[in-house]
Amino acid sequence: EPEVTQTPSHQVTQMGQEVILRCVPISNHLYFYWYRQILGQKVEFLVSFYNNEISEKSEIFDDQFSVERPDGSNFTLKIRSTKLEDSAMYFCASSDRAGANYGYTFGSGTRLTVV
Amino acid sequence: GESVGLHLPTLSVQEGDNSIINCAYSNSASDYFIWYKQESGKGPQFIIDIRSNMDKRQGQRVTVLLNKTVKHLSLQIAATQPGDSAVYFCAENRNGDNFNKFYFGSGTKLNVKP
């Protein structure tokens, strides 16, 4: 079964440092997403991406965050200057179509720890 | 308001029993719902979905019930197995959201005792 692959599985970084979280979506998917889950809390939407641009973003996704699809296979989330409160699991997801009534496939996540 | 916290509600059941996990949603514009299962160290995994024009949908060993009047969703798992132990989230998609932005509930931890 096709999978969404995320690397690394765990990243520790110092506050103020830049981090890049990497995702390889399912190959024929066209819609890409990042969600995050702070420990013990809900999974929260960050951003959706289609046709090489952001489709929608949440209030969490401020100017410290950016996404990029640098080539035909990778989809990255960059946090420019990490804060302690950025510590969370970050999940990438992809789907082959948009609109309501379609779920998508999540990756296993990257645990980001900011110290 | 949203409920946040470090402690998930936990449902403990005996292997072989049926499990019922509940979820309340607040937005009447929500028209599509998914139940996700999240095992430790993994991402959410799709279990079953339901559209707002239905009140019941069945899958293999799972049934989702939707009560739009009281904005309540439930997941029933028949003959619960140890492999069902996980955190279960309901997620809603709101009418008018052009892309698949889902709002997740707080989650319920299911603990299956052998």
Side-chain angles (χ1 to χ4, degrees), chain A residues 31 33 35 37 39-43 45 48 50 55-56 91 95 97-104 106-109, chain B residues 2-6 8 31-32 34 36 38 41-44 49 51 89 93 97-102 104-106:
Chain A
Y31 302 87
Y33 313 86
Y35 281 72
Q37 184 180 28
L39 183 64
Q41 297 189 19
K42 299 179 185 181
V43 177
F45 171 80
S48 59
Y50 168 71
S55 311
E56 190 167 358
F91 294 106
S95 67
R97 67 192 83 186
N101 304 331
Y102 296 107
Y104 34 58
F106 282 90
S108 294
Chain B
E2 294 189 350
S3 61
V4 293
L6 295 177
L8 289 172
D31 61 353
Y32 177 60
I34 297 179
Y36 283 98
Q38 187 178 23
K42 296 184 179 179
D49 60 353
R51 302 180 185 188
F89 294 94
N93 180 271
D97 280 344
N98 292 321
F99 294 89
N100 288 347
K101 180 169 71 175
F102 283 89
F104 281 75
S106 301

Side-chain angles (χ1 to χ4, degrees), chain B residues 3-54:
Chain B
S3 61
V4 293
L6 295 177
H7 301 288
L8 289 172
T10 300
L11 174 66
S12 293
V13 299
Q14 206 68 39
E15 180 179 359
D17 287 351
N18 297 333
S19 303
I20 300 176
I21 299 171
N22 297 302
C23 177
Y25 64 96
S26 57
N27 196 311
S28 56
S30 295
D31 61 353
Y32 177 60
F33 305 86
I34 297 179
W35 277 102
Y36 283 98
K37 172 185 181 183
Q38 187 178 23
E39 296 173 285
S40 180
K42 296 184 179 179
Q45 178 188 1
F46 175 95
I47 301 173
I48 191 168
D49 60 353
I50 189 167
R51 302 180 185 188
S52 59
N53 61 352
M54 306 169 69

